[in-house]
């Protein structure tokens, strides 16, 4: 009897492992992940999680992105009274932090504020799907995005393993961006900073978030101290790197101007 139970248990383990290793997402991620950092045992455990889900809504959301809206529609979403008021309120609350970040990186404080406002409405809207499930869904349901999504999922799992984070615990956008700055995993790994020097880069901690936004801009072409806001100037290009959309850049610059104007009054 005991032998039968052991045999059945072994079969269950083998079956489960076969199911995981045949998973398209697992097969793509294991090819891209840093094997010197993340052991296979960890990946098998992660891909065995019962919380893994494919969200049919995600492909639908990709089919109707904000960036495809007309400028007038897009502008009304982001350069609106409530967002301007929220930006001024945030500035008043975190004035010293914003000033410190701006001075260290040489980045316009109102550009930093504007990106934080557009990306997450100052921490109010930044989630909806687990980052893992978002990227997992893209691999399985969106063949044209599978290569990109598998690279991002590999980057995400490297981050989670290194910082001992449950991969299902962080929620982000339908595209897989997360935190108040809405970084995709590879960008978070590359550009995020531990601005408050507590030893951890935290995606929901304002010192780290604002510092990471500023660092991202500088690392993507923003010349410290620049005042070139013209199209295709260094500031424009660095914001465009954050989100490859002309509407997005115009919204960031427009909201920054509105917050700056209101803050003076």
């Amino acid at each position: 009897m005991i032998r039968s139970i052991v045999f059945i248990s072994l079969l269950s383990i083998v079956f489960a492992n076969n199911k995981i290793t045949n998973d398209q997402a697992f097969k793509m991620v294991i090819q891209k992940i840093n094997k010197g950092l993340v052991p296979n045992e960890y990946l098998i455990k992660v891909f065995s999680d019962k919380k893994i889900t494919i969200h049919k809504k995600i492909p639908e959301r990709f089919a109707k992105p904000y960036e495809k809206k007309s400028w007038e529609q897009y502008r009304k979403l982001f350069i609106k009274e409530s967002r301007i008021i929220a930006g001024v309120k945030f500035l008043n609350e975190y004035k010293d932090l914003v000033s410190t970040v701006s001075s260290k990186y040489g980045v316009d404080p109102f550009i930093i504020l504007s990106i934080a406002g557009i990306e997450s409405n100052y921490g109010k809207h930044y989630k909806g799907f687990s980052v893992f499930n978002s990227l997992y869904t893209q691999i399985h349901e969106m063949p044209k995005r599978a290569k990109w999504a598998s690279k991002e999922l590999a980057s995400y799992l490297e981050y989670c393993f290194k910082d001992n984070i449950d991969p299902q615990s962080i929620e982000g956008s339908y595209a897989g961006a997360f935190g108040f700055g809405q970084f995709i995993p590879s960008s978070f790994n590359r550009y995020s900073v531990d601005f408050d020097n507590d030893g951890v880069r935290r995606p929901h901690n304002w010192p780290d978030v604002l510092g990471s936004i500023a660092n991202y801009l500088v690392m993507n072409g923003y010349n410290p101290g620049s005042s070139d806001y013209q199209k295709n100037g260094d500031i424009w290009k660095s914001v465009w790197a954050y989100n490859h959309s002309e509407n997005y850049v115009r919204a960031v610059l427009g909201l920054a101007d509105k917050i700056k104007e209101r803050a003076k009054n």
Side-chain angles (χ1 to χ4, degrees):
M1 180 69 175
I2 294 176
R3 288 182 178 180
S4 297
I5 293 174
V6 170
F7 180 70
I8 292 172
S9 297
L10 288 173
L11 279 179
S12 298
I13 293 171
V14 170
F15 177 77
N17 284 346
N18 284 340
K19 183 178 180 181
I20 292 167
T21 55
N22 286 326
D23 184 324
Q24 180 66 16
F26 177 87
K27 289 191 291 186
M28 295 184 76
V29 166
I30 204 168
Q31 291 175 0
K32 295 178 172 62
I33 204 160
N34 182 346
K35 296 181 179 64
L37 174 65
V38 183
N40 285 351
E41 293 78 8
Y42 173 80
L43 292 178
I44 290 173
K45 181 180 179 181
V46 168
F47 278 87
S48 300
D49 197 318
K50 293 181 180 179
K51 294 179 182 177
I52 293 177
T53 304
I54 290 179
H55 294 283
K56 298 296 183 181
K57 290 184 178 180
I58 288 178
E60 295 174 8
R61 295 286 293 276
F62 269 104
K64 300 177 181 178
Y66 285 147
E67 286 70 25
K68 286 188 177 180
K69 295 181 181 294
S70 68
W71 164 240
E72 190 60 27
Q73 292 173 315
Y74 196 88
R75 184 186 65 79
K76 288 180 180 179
L77 288 171
F78 296 108
I79 308 178
K80 56 184 180 180
E81 184 65 13
S82 61
R83 193 95 41 157
I84 297 167
I85 292 173
V88 174
K89 181 181 178 181
F90 184 91
L91 176 60
N92 290 334
E93 185 175 353
Y94 293 97
K95 193 169 186 177
D96 290 343
L97 173 62
V98 173
S99 178
T100 301
V101 171
S102 174
S103 296
K104 178 175 180 178
Y105 290 96
V107 174
D108 182 341
F110 294 98
I111 295 293
I112 299 171
L113 277 172
S114 182
I115 289 176
I118 289 175
E119 291 296 342
S120 67
N121 197 9
Y122 304 103
K124 294 179 181 178
H125 302 295
Y126 62 92
K127 59 185 181 178
F129 305 93
S130 82
V131 176
F132 184 98
N133 287 343
S134 172
L135 296 168
Y136 185 87
T137 296
Q138 291 174 58
I139 295 170
H140 279 278
E141 299 294 313
M142 305 179 70
K144 291 183 178 180
R145 292 188 62 83
K147 184 178 179 180
W148 177 88
S150 61
K151 179 176 76 70
E152 291 304 323
L153 185 51
S155 293
Y156 178 66
L157 293 177
E158 289 169 5
Y159 160 60
C160 289
F161 178 79
K162 184 178 179 182
D163 283 18
N164 193 28
I165 295 169
D166 176 359
Q168 288 287 347
S169 69
I170 299 179
E171 288 191 30
S173 71
Y174 70 89
F178 64 98
F180 294 161
Q182 290 291 279
F183 280 16
I184 58 174
S186 61
S187 289
F188 184 85
N189 288 346
R190 184 178 303 173
Y191 302 114
S192 63
V193 297
D194 173 23
F195 195 80
D196 59 6
N197 296 311
D198 70 349
V200 183
R201 299 172 299 170
R202 303 182 189 277
H204 307 106
N205 177 51
W206 282 117
D208 292 357
V209 171
L210 300 184
S212 297
I213 290 172
N215 184 56
Y216 184 100
L217 295 174
V218 171
M219 295 295 288
N220 282 278
Y222 192 119
N223 295 321
S226 175
S227 58
D228 182 5
Y229 296 89
Q230 298 300 311
K231 185 173 182 179
N232 294 323
D234 64 290
I235 295 176
W236 177 284
K237 288 180 179 178
S238 68
V239 176
W240 188 86
Y242 210 104
N243 185 329
H244 296 180
S245 161
E246 183 170 323
N247 276 350
Y248 179 82
V249 182
R250 292 175 70 183
V252 167
L253 298 181
L255 181 60
D257 283 343
K258 291 293 184 181
I259 295 173
K260 183 177 183 179
E261 179 183 330
R262 191 70 60 85
K264 290 180 178 179
N265 297 329

